Amino acid sequence: MAGLKLNGVNKIYPSGENALFNINFETKDKEFIVVVGGEASGKSTLLRVVAGLEEPSSGEIYIDDKEVTDVEPKDRDIAMVFRSSTLYPALNVFDNMAFGLRLRKAPQALIEQRVKAAAAILGLNDVLYRKPKALTAAAKQRVAIGRAIVREPKLYLFDEPLSGLDDNLRADMLNVIINLQARMEGTFVYATKNLAEAMAIGTRIVVLKNGLIQQIDTPENLYDYPANAYVAFYIGAPTINFVKDAQITKSDAGYAAVNGDFKVELPENIVKRFTDIGKYANTGKKVILGIRPEDAEVKKGGAYKSTVVKVESDGDSTYAECDLNGGISMIVRGQAELAKGENAEIDIDNTHIYIFDNDTRLTLLSRDAGYKKTDFAEADFVPLTYPEEQAVIEKLAPKKNDKKKKLR
């Protein structure tokens, strides 16, 4: 199998729209790397560029240490599974799975061997000779995956393959893909906007936003050591609580983060990690305070008085949305018996808080001994500041005048 390397890859459409900006990362052989991001983040474009279905505007792509930037898709030895199955309706399951091998004029004996082996792995033995219209949505996607793996390529690309499936089918198919990667020992690149999928299957995760990489690291490191406020917001469910425009104060009692009547004392472990805390303490320079819902809870005797606005439970956990004194809204762990409008006291575990610069939105907390460093240089990647990111987006945004000229 093979690893993948992208070196300074950019994709700018003729309109000027920026799809990918300076993408740099490398996978190792047999790694399962996940690309996550919201709509228009560049996930699908990234996979299509790697597959050769779209040309990068600049940069190089390497597979198995060989540059393939200008190589035709059919010669890249890549298999790609799309978000919706693209099966040939006139062909049965066997022939759909065998299609790529027949195009390559593979011997019939090899076709029989690989198709039946893939069918056994994917649980398709009973439907091998049915047409796609007779299959369930999940079965169709299994066939699409089977068609990819029978070729035994160097690299597997999955573009939101489970979108459109219900939760139960999604969970079943996710297990299929996890087991498949272990069996095939291949290098998998999997794009999704579903955070639960990403956290469950990725050895590392690439977080994309507006075509720009925000951070690349293991799921645990992304959660505990986000490089900026966006990563902290994206990695976690429910999403992190932000207290913007807070200031750092220093007194005889120590350091604290303050916004109006809301105040969180900074414990020793946070102060030690706070980069250049002297530039922020008692200077009026603002920060964003991050508090994850799982690090705050409704608790009798808690330091923060609040009013319950909403209570939601997923069967395993209950969370309450609360309005704290001082106009701060926060989602915290709660109890099912809480009621809307009820007064509640909240306790916050301040040893697990996050702090970001209010302007750059980059983290102000350095990594400590809890950070588990990987062997990849990308772990030390520092994303653009928020103003720098906005400048790139503005510079590469389609110009209205250009559109008008093209229409004339």
Side-chain angles (χ1 to χ4, degrees), residues 13-32:
Y13 289 107
S15 66
E17 179 185 355
N18 174 56
L20 298 172
F21 180 78
N22 196 28
I23 303 298
N24 294 277
F25 73 85
E26 183 175 359
T27 73
K28 63 183 179 181
D29 188 22
K30 303 177 184 178
E31 186 176 11
F32 201 137

Side-chain angles (χ1 to χ4, degrees), residues 161-271:
L162 308 185
S163 63
L165 300 180
D166 64 37
D167 290 344
N168 290 332
L169 290 177
R170 183 186 292 269
D172 290 343
M173 286 300 298
L174 195 60
N175 285 330
V176 167
I177 293 172
I178 293 171
N179 293 331
L180 180 64
Q181 197 268 346
R183 285 172 179 257
M184 302 302 295
E185 296 188 341
T187 301
F188 281 37
V189 183
Y190 186 104
T192 180
K193 57 177 171 282
N194 187 297
L195 179 63
E197 287 181 23
M199 299 294 276
I201 63 180
T203 52
R204 286 188 302 147
I205 297 175
V206 179
V207 183
L208 276 182
K209 175 192 172 192
N210 296 325
L212 290 87
I213 289 179
Q214 305 295 309
Q215 191 172 352
I216 305 175
D217 218 322
T218 64
E220 296 82 3
N221 285 341
L222 291 177
Y223 180 88
D224 290 327
Y225 302 91
N228 60 21
Y230 180 79
V231 175
F233 171 80
Y234 200 88
I235 304 297
T239 55
I240 194 169
N241 300 295
F242 284 134
V243 179
K244 299 180 180 179
D245 297 323
Q247 296 183 32
I248 303 301
T249 62
K250 183 182 180 182
S251 65
D252 291 341
Y255 292 95
V258 179
N259 181 311
D261 294 333
F262 181 79
K263 180 179 181 181
V264 176
E265 304 290 342
L266 302 188
E268 183 179 356
N269 71 309
I270 297 297
V271 172

Side-chain angles (χ1 to χ4, degrees), residues 78-120:
I78 283 176
M80 187 164 181
V81 179
F82 296 91
R83 68 187 70 188
S84 58
S85 60
T86 52
L87 305 180
Y88 299 104
L91 302 181
N92 62 28
V93 169
F94 184 101
D95 291 333
N96 263 286
M97 292 173 65
F99 189 82
L101 291 175
R102 286 183 174 141
L103 277 181
R104 289 163 176 77
K105 303 187 185 310
Q108 184 60 30
L110 179 64
I111 293 174
E112 290 274 348
Q113 174 191 341
R114 288 193 179 177
V115 170
K116 289 183 178 178

Side-chain angles (χ1 to χ4, degrees), residues 209-370:
K209 175 192 172 192
N210 296 325
L212 290 87
I213 289 179
Q214 305 295 309
Q215 191 172 352
I216 305 175
D217 218 322
T218 64
E220 296 82 3
N221 285 341
L222 291 177
Y223 180 88
D224 290 327
Y225 302 91
N228 60 21
Y230 180 79
V231 175
F233 171 80
Y234 200 88
I235 304 297
T239 55
I240 194 169
N241 300 295
F242 284 134
V243 179
K244 299 180 180 179
D245 297 323
Q247 296 183 32
I248 303 301
T249 62
K250 183 182 180 182
S251 65
D252 291 341
Y255 292 95
V258 179
N259 181 311
D261 294 333
F262 181 79
K263 180 179 181 181
V264 176
E265 304 290 342
L266 302 188
E268 183 179 356
N269 71 309
I270 297 297
V271 172
K272 282 183 177 180
R273 294 176 56 203
F274 198 136
T275 305
D276 295 328
I277 193 169
K279 293 182 180 180
Y280 291 83
N282 298 333
T283 65
K285 193 171 175 61
K286 295 180 179 179
V287 301
I288 300 172
L289 187 66
I291 302 168
R292 293 202 182 275
E294 48 270 39
D295 293 326
E297 65 176 327
V298 173
K299 187 176 183 180
K300 188 174 182 179
Y304 304 92
K305 299 185 182 303
S306 72
T307 303
V308 177
V309 176
K310 185 192 300 183
V311 179
E312 291 186 351
S313 177
D314 59 9
D316 296 323
S317 303
T318 299
Y319 287 94
E321 180 181 343
C322 299
D323 284 344
L324 281 66
N325 292 344
I328 304 295
S329 180
M330 192 172 293
I331 297 174
V332 303
R333 287 185 292 151
Q335 292 87 38
E337 59 270 19
L338 286 173
K340 179 179 178 180
E342 183 178 349
N343 292 327
E345 297 170 333
I346 293 174
D347 186 47
I348 294 174
D349 182 357
N350 61 355
T351 64
H352 288 158
I353 60 175
Y354 304 77
I355 304 175
F356 308 93
D357 183 271
N358 206 74
D359 297 324
T360 69
R361 303 191 185 177
L362 299 182
T363 183
L364 294 171
L365 302 183
S366 62
R367 298 164 178 171
D368 57 14

Side-chain angles (χ1 to χ4, degrees), residues 23-96:
I23 303 298
N24 294 277
F25 73 85
E26 183 175 359
T27 73
K28 63 183 179 181
D29 188 22
K30 303 177 184 178
E31 186 176 11
F32 201 137
I33 193 162
V34 180
V35 183
V36 298
E39 294 295 337
S41 61
K43 303 184 302 297
S44 295
T45 302
L46 176 59
L47 264 62
R48 291 176 65 83
V49 166
V50 170
L53 301 178
E54 294 191 28
E55 294 182 4
S57 303
S58 59
E60 299 89 38
I61 301 167
Y62 297 85
I63 298 173
D64 200 17
D65 294 326
K66 297 177 182 177
E67 186 176 357
V68 298
T69 313
D70 298 320
V71 173
E72 290 294 317
K74 64 183 179 64
D75 297 322
R76 295 194 183 194
D77 202 8
I78 283 176
M80 187 164 181
V81 179
F82 296 91
R83 68 187 70 188
S84 58
S85 60
T86 52
L87 305 180
Y88 299 104
L91 302 181
N92 62 28
V93 169
F94 184 101
D95 291 333
N96 263 286

